[in-house]
Amino acid sequence: MTPPLRRTKILATLGPATDAPGVLAGLVRAGVNVVRLNFSHGTPEQHAARVAAVREAAAEQGREVGILADLQGPKIRIEKFAGGKVSLVAGDEFSLLCRADAPPGDASQVGVSYLGLVNDVRPGDTLLLDDGLVAVEVLAIEGDRIRTRVLTDGALSDRKGLNRLGGGLSLGALTDQDKQHITIAAGLGVDFLAVSFCRSAADMDEARALAQAAGSDAFLVAKIERAEAIENLVEITRASDVVMVARGDLGVEIGDAELPGLQKKIIRTALEHNRIVITATQMLQSMVDNPIPTRAEVLDVANSVIDGTDAVMLSAETASGSYPVKAVEAMVRICLGAERQFDHDTDFEKAQRGLERADQAIAMASMFLAEHVDVRGIVALTESGGTARFLSRFRSKVPIYGLSRHDGARRRMALVRDVFPVNFDSAGQSTREAARGALRHLFGLGLLAEGDRVIITSGDHMELHGATNTLRLLKVGPGGAAEGLGEL
């Protein structure tokens, strides 16, 4: 019996754990769809070596695996301690030094990477260190020194992150280092580029202009991890191709209690605007050290799938954990289980009205037909992958096969829920010739069988982006022949 197709996509972060012999091939075999390069760590040479290894592993296994470059962004960090670590005690005073020549830290003070922090905080503000494990209250600002009182006991070590509860820090989204990394990522040919700590559509527009100037056509990913990003969520979503629910820093800034509701809101907003959405951070965190996830983690991943996320992401679980392949295998099991509970009944009354593009209208019509006629799948003959992406915004029980001759388009489709990219070249063919060839190809791959009915979308001019304007309902005949097309 053919195993069920997993519709939700899986991202895995690369790192030291995946550099070990055989691990990367194991991740691809287990079902990874996209890998993440964390530009907060590693050298350009290490990133280039990992890109080459991913491309090789994907080619050997005949898989489409996308690559996402994640920019570091302006993450505020404390500087280093003389002893590498200190223990802070609630009630004690602790100072943050906002100057470039701050001495190595101790239990009374430490430098910070963002020298403008003195201008962004006020007495009474709560600052959260190390993802909120240590909290301090601002008492006073004295020149380049921020005096605080420790609110929670805790150990603090070198280069831990710093956030202000409620957000409001004024750093821009792209640092000078990020701008250099965009050029590096473009040279590596990455498929997705993630912008950390974006605040507005202008941040995403700047990143897109820099990427395009460097020769990249990567999809832009807006990481929603600032309180300000929530206020500007719709405009950021419109300016992006992909939205990521980056739950780590977002949870620190807005508080854990608000995070579940905001996760659902971000997913819903992305889908309403025809954007891809990723849910990320600590999804299977216990698997950094353990071979099986906790029940709470299973429920967390499953709820994200049921909410409609396109993809779920693993971070330290694969980058530095003890069980990277097992983490992916666990994610696959959970996604499949959750998808069996997913409600596929699409409410077309809520569908977008006044569509201006023919490919969007064809996608909506195809999904309406798929909801009312028994079909085995939808076949999208596409140049850029756009039609397949529009199709996927209407959740359905029907798989979408995105057929394209372009490597980049197939790798970008690898992140889209319900879409299964397939290498197929229709250049120079009429729409009927392309339809016949597509069905024979899918039949040969075992994805279609004789007697199946399928919906196929295509354009009059197969080499033009956004030219999809045709929908057909066909039946698969003997040997994968397309019945119902008539003679040329």
Side-chain angles (χ1 to χ4, degrees), residues 356-384:
E356 297 180 358
R357 293 179 50 169
D359 51 355
Q360 289 180 297
I362 291 294
M364 184 183 296
S366 298
M367 297 313 292
F368 185 87
L369 185 59
E371 287 287 299
H372 295 83
V373 176
D374 184 23
V375 295
R376 176 64 183 82
I378 299 174
V379 180
L381 291 166
T382 178
E383 288 287 305
S384 67

Side-chain angles (χ1 to χ4, degrees), residues 181-190 193 210-211 214-216:
H181 283 170
I182 288 175
T183 301
I184 293 170
L188 294 175
V190 302
L193 185 67
L210 290 168
S216 174

Side-chain angles (χ1 to χ4, degrees), residues 199-436:
R199 303 163 302 172
S200 65
D203 290 335
M204 302 307 297
D205 293 340
E206 180 184 8
R208 192 180 298 279
L210 290 168
Q212 290 176 344
S216 174
D217 61 355
F219 272 15
L220 246 61
V221 182
K223 294 175 64 179
I224 307 300
E225 49 194 337
R226 278 182 165 176
E228 297 93 322
I230 296 298
E231 297 171 7
N232 301 319
L233 181 59
V234 170
E235 70 167 66
I236 291 173
T237 300
R238 288 173 175 162
S240 309
D241 304 294
V242 185
V243 175
M244 180 188 293
V245 190
R247 306 184 305 180
D249 284 284
L250 180 61
V252 172
E253 288 212 356
I254 55 96
D256 291 341
E258 301 299 320
L259 192 56
L262 283 178
Q263 174 174 309
K264 293 177 183 294
K265 177 181 179 179
I266 296 167
I267 292 173
R268 184 171 62 250
T269 300
L271 296 179
E272 287 173 351
H273 289 84
N274 296 320
R275 299 304 190 264
I276 305 167
V277 58
I278 304 165
T279 305
T281 316
Q282 294 184 338
M283 302 213 79
L284 298 180
Q285 183 68 19
S286 71
M287 291 195 72
V288 171
D289 301 306
N290 300 295
I292 59 173
T294 66
R295 295 292 181 266
E297 289 168 340
V298 170
L299 289 169
D300 178 32
V301 174
N303 277 320
S304 299
V305 173
I306 293 169
D307 284 342
T309 192
D310 284 274
V312 287
M313 191 176 93
L314 296 164
S315 299
E317 299 95 328
T318 52
S320 57
S322 300
Y323 305 96
V325 176
K326 286 184 179 295
V328 174
E329 291 171 345
M331 195 70 97
V332 168
R333 292 194 304 272
I334 299 166
C335 289
L336 286 170
E339 288 164 4
R340 286 193 287 272
Q341 309 303 320
F342 190 77
D343 184 2
H344 297 291
D345 187 16
T346 301
D347 185 357
F348 286 94
E349 289 299 317
K350 297 180 180 179
Q352 184 179 347
R353 296 291 194 270
L355 297 174
E356 297 180 358
R357 293 179 50 169
D359 51 355
Q360 289 180 297
I362 291 294
M364 184 183 296
S366 298
M367 297 313 292
F368 185 87
L369 185 59
E371 287 287 299
H372 295 83
V373 176
D374 184 23
V375 295
R376 176 64 183 82
I378 299 174
V379 180
L381 291 166
T382 178
E383 288 287 305
S384 67
T387 302
R389 189 167 72 253
F390 291 138
L391 285 163
S392 75
R393 297 308 85 184
F394 296 94
R395 298 304 191 216
S396 170
K397 62 181 181 298
V398 180
I400 301 160
Y401 299 106
L403 276 59
S404 178
R405 62 194 174 103
H406 298 289
D407 295 343
R410 295 196 305 276
R411 293 195 295 259
R412 289 189 292 269
M413 285 190 284
L415 188 61
V416 185
R417 182 163 168 163
D418 292 339
V419 175
F420 303 91
V422 178
N423 185 6
F424 180 75
D425 189 354
S426 59
Q429 300 179 5
S430 69
T431 55
R432 290 188 175 186
E433 289 171 334
R436 288 193 173 96

Side-chain angles (χ1 to χ4, degrees), residues 105-182:
D106 56 29
S108 66
Q109 63 181 22
V110 71
V112 294
S113 62
Y114 174 41
L115 306 188
L117 186 63
V118 290
N119 302 314
D120 285 357
V121 299
R122 299 287 182 271
D125 285 351
T126 298
L127 303 180
L128 302 162
L129 306 169
D130 194 8
D131 289 338
L133 295 180
V134 175
V136 299
E137 180 185 4
V138 176
L139 299 176
I141 294 90
E142 300 173 350
D144 56 14
R145 178 185 295 269
I146 301 173
R147 289 179 46 228
T148 76
R149 177 185 295 110
V150 179
L151 299 178
T152 55
D153 295 346
L156 196 58
S157 56
D158 296 346
R159 301 289 296 163
K160 293 301 183 184
L162 182 153
N163 298 77
R164 176 181 175 271
L165 183 63
L169 301 181
S170 61
L171 286 85
L174 295 173
T175 65
D176 290 341
Q177 184 183 56
D178 290 331
K179 295 172 184 178
Q180 295 172 8
H181 283 170
I182 288 175

